[in-house]
Amino acid sequence: MLAMEKIEITDEIVESHGLSKEEYEKVLQILGREPNMVELGIFSVMWSEHCSYKSSRVHLKNFPTEGPQVIQGPGENAGVVDIGDGLAVAFKMESHNHPSFIEPYQGAATGVGGIMRDVFTMGARPVANLNSLRFGNLDLPKHKYLLKGVVAGIAGYGNCMGVPTVGGEVYFDDCYNGNILVNAFTLGIVKSDKIFKGYASGIGNPVIYVGSKTGRDGIHGATMASEEFDEGSEEKRPTVQVGDPFTEKLLLEACLELMKTDYIIGIQDMGAAGLTSSSFEMASRAGTGIEMYLDEVPRREEGMTPYEIMLSESQERMLMVVKKGCEDKVRAIFDKWDLDCAVVGKVTDDGIMRLMEKGVAVAELPIDPLAEGAPVYSRPMSRPEYLDELSSLDLSTLKIPSDMNQVLVDLLDSPNIGSRRWIYNQYDHMVRTDTVTLPGSDAAVIRVKGTDKGVAMTVNCNSRYCYLDPYVGSMIAVAENARNLVCSGAKPLAITDCLNFGNPEKPEIMWQFAEAVRGLSDACKAFDTPVVSGNVSLYNETKGEAIYPTPTVGMVGLLENVNLHSTQYFKNKGDIIVLLGKNRSELGGSEYLKIVHGLVKGPPPVLDLKLERLVQKTCLEAIAAGIVESSHDCAEGGLAVALSEGCISGDKPMGANIELYNEGQRWDALLFGESQSRIVLSLNRRHIDKLEEIACNNETPLEVLGEVGGDHLLIDDKINVAIEDLQKAWRESLESRVS
């Protein structure tokens, strides 16, 4: 007999749980009765946008998710990709946007902790973290505070865990004044035959809770992440979880020790919606039921109700199903690591989640309708009206600056281009001694111990491009990630994503989302980089003002010989500097257009996928041939900024003397335009014939630009700036704004 709580479920209570009237009607149909408060709370989190993907699922099914390298695609805690020799990498990226805006330190810290649990749940030891961050205007004190808090939270958690943060990206724009973005990425290494999944299989097998005790922090965090912000949003601090990296370190080691045994049937991180989502998802995947004993759940607070226990998002907790009879062996391992370990249920065969308290059922819910049967919406879509005005750009109306030196210095001083040293110096990027390429180059590279292999990883998205054309902007996000990996010497393998958008109930936002997914899909097919994991974050909107569409892409690549990795900065005086690809007269969506002319306008750069693939193929072959000293892609700020970064981003800054071939182009477009599919290489003079041969075989445009040397960057008669002046503007860009 179900013990029903004596609380009337009113329209106001339903609305406060984020369910529409139509969704509540569906709840009544599924149950054939009115839910009690525990059941209503469970429906609200399982059917939240954050957990159910009810607005995005119809579009996400179009992603390419398979390939010969894919061991595990979307649907598990993390994606897994084969790297040969019996090894694989597990990786995923997720958002913690809303919590980080409300409480930046804990929001960012628990985002890092959660994504690491997703990876080691698969049986992989985390070996590297990245992050993708978006903040508003740094002239606003609020955003200086948010930036400092988020960076401190990422550093505090990752450093304590002993997992290096090896790279990332950060952008600043007024569109993020009301909603910042904190996207966290983790990669781990695992034996390809020792991968664990989240299945509650085996009737009668015990369900075991391990890790920290359950508290009241984070209750309804998933629901909060599925709604717009308003003036009262900062009062939602109780929905932000509190992390403890020292406990997570113990949990990591205990789980990896347990995974060396054959006791585990299935294991799942308690992430969004905590005990609710982990138990429902495990049972749903296995086609089973669970009887849960809430009295046995370890708690750190007195008087917690079943509602609070099931919806808490307390951190550092895992749920697992183990072989019956192994309970004491499992408990011994977690006792050794000083962690809670309790049998909290058993697997049943009836497809029902039955929650028991003091021997009485306080909730009985069918599992599949909650885990897989959430409403799926094909929401209305319409192209935003703002594009009619912004999609065209008449370059003839733009005055060409007379002082290109000052333009270059101003671009290097932009917080969207300047050095991120102030951020990554707070991270431990050398712990574990696997880091080969330090933060500050195109991609991070780590070695795979015991092999000659290296794994490269990067995250990227130019959201301004996506605002102006979400289809092309999203394709560029994939292409630039691949280009960054190739510049490091790695072959791209697969991607994870974090799709950050505004309110999907607005047709314009839904159109942006659908176009972005289409762009990601087409580009991933072109580069043979399937989507193996990811996350959708909607309702990034405050008082009706949405963020730019920001489909952040994280990509992983493989170096068969890590000793042949490449970095972006010039190494030797006298080396020849070469451009692979073509310069075009394109300024739409560029940082130059925003900084110098105050405009966000025009089409983003054209992306020729065939040319992009050829440029990348040539670069990879040249690096593999051992003839490349440095390689760097052209991105924000264009060719002049890429050349400047080659001069100033290494340990020994050095100048360059450049002469550009100008076929009647505007000088500002040639210097600062952000045309795609371009890579700047430097190499010893004796290797130029070999590079030209490789480029010719791949039908890749190649232009010799000049050579490394001197203490100035000289570009024709347009730019002549001392390297120390360029470096000062670049290095102090962020530090001067946050001090």
Side-chain angles (χ1 to χ4, degrees), residues 100 104-105 108 133 135 145-155 180 182:
S100 299
Y105 184 94
L133 311 175
F135 298 93
Y145 158 76
L146 290 171
L147 173 62
K148 291 177 179 179
V150 165
V151 171
I154 291 170
I180 66 172
V182 176

Side-chain angles (χ1 to χ4, degrees), residues 340-630:
D340 279 289
C341 177
V343 175
V344 296
K346 66 179 180 181
V347 179
T348 62
D349 63 358
D350 59 5
I352 299 294
M353 180 66 65
R354 188 171 290 104
L355 306 180
M356 309 295 293
E357 185 181 49
K358 298 178 181 177
V360 177
V362 295
E364 286 186 356
L365 295 167
I367 284 169
D368 278 348
L370 281 106
E372 298 295 334
V376 176
Y377 297 118
S378 294
R379 296 195 183 275
M381 298 184 291
S382 64
R383 182 177 179 271
E385 291 183 2
Y386 70 78
L387 290 177
D388 294 336
E389 177 187 351
L390 298 185
S391 59
S392 63
L393 177 65
D394 184 355
L395 295 184
S396 67
T397 64
L398 298 179
K399 182 180 179 181
I400 299 177
S402 58
D403 187 350
M404 294 297 188
N405 291 332
Q406 188 59 51
V407 172
L408 179 56
V409 170
D410 288 346
L411 284 172
L412 291 172
D413 179 59
S414 165
N416 287 335
I417 289 178
S419 171
R420 278 78 174 102
R421 184 178 62 168
W422 177 86
I423 294 176
Y424 63 69
N425 275 357
Q426 299 182 54
Y427 304 149
D428 188 337
H429 40 261
M430 289 299 292
V431 65
R432 298 189 56 79
T433 68
D434 293 332
T435 307
V436 175
T437 301
L438 301 179
S441 198
D442 286 304
V445 178
I446 62 166
R447 67 176 54 84
V448 182
K449 279 193 170 81
T451 76
D452 293 328
K453 299 178 186 292
V455 174
M457 63 207 84
T458 183
V459 291
N460 269 300
C461 176
N462 187 314
S463 56
R464 191 181 295 151
Y465 294 168
C466 295
Y467 172 64
L468 295 169
D469 187 330
Y471 175 73
V472 173
S474 298
M475 285 205 300
I476 289 174
V478 176
E480 186 178 351
N481 272 278
R483 200 159 60 241
N484 285 340
L485 293 180
V486 163
C487 285
S488 76
K491 177 185 176 182
L493 291 178
I495 79 163
T496 183
D497 59 52
C498 242
L499 308 182
N500 307 276
F501 290 79
N503 184 343
E505 298 167 48
K506 297 181 178 179
E508 296 82 3
I509 301 295
M510 207 64 236
W511 180 86
Q512 291 176 339
F513 184 88
E515 284 293 283
V517 170
R518 187 167 70 91
L520 294 175
S521 298
D522 287 351
C524 285
K525 291 171 185 174
F527 295 107
D528 295 322
T529 52
V531 182
V532 297
S533 60
N535 167 243
V536 176
S537 175
L538 302 177
Y539 296 95
N540 292 289
E541 191 160 332
T542 297
K543 300 179 184 178
E545 295 294 321
I547 63 167
Y548 284 167
T550 311
T552 309
V553 174
M555 188 179 285
V556 172
L558 177 65
L559 296 90
E560 290 292 350
N561 184 350
V562 72
N563 295 316
L564 290 175
H565 72 281
S566 182
T567 51
Q568 72 179 35
Y569 48 89
F570 301 144
K571 309 295 190 302
N572 311 298
K573 294 180 180 179
D575 280 351
I576 298 297
I577 301 170
V578 173
L579 177 70
L580 302 180
K582 293 181 179 179
N583 295 314
R584 295 188 175 95
S585 289
E586 297 175 300
L587 287 173
S590 65
E591 190 71 9
Y592 162 82
L593 197 63
K594 177 68 184 296
I595 294 295
V596 176
H597 296 282
L599 295 174
V600 175
K601 196 173 184 181
V606 171
L607 178 63
D608 181 335
L609 288 172
K610 180 181 178 182
L611 176 62
E612 182 72 50
R613 289 195 299 268
L614 293 174
V615 167
Q616 292 188 21
K617 188 170 187 288
T618 296
C619 183
L620 261 185
E621 290 181 9
I623 293 172
I627 65 173
V628 173
E629 292 295 331
S630 72

Side-chain angles (χ1 to χ4, degrees), residues 288-341:
T288 58
I290 290 178
E291 186 169 284
M292 187 88 69
Y293 314 127
L294 299 183
D295 304 293
E296 303 302 321
V297 173
R299 281 160 281 182
R300 67 168 182 263
E301 299 184 48
E302 296 291 330
M304 290 189 69
T305 66
Y307 181 100
E308 293 171 324
I309 293 169
M310 291 302 294
L311 270 60
S312 167
E313 293 184 8
S314 294
Q315 297 292 285
E316 294 86 43
R317 302 179 300 161
M318 308 283 270
L319 195 67
M320 60 181 68
V321 173
V322 305
K323 294 178 181 178
K324 191 173 183 178
C326 295
E327 296 90 331
D328 290 342
K329 297 175 182 177
V330 172
R331 188 177 290 109
I333 291 173
F334 285 90
D335 283 348
K336 184 182 90 170
W337 291 98
D338 198 24
L339 293 166
D340 279 289
C341 177

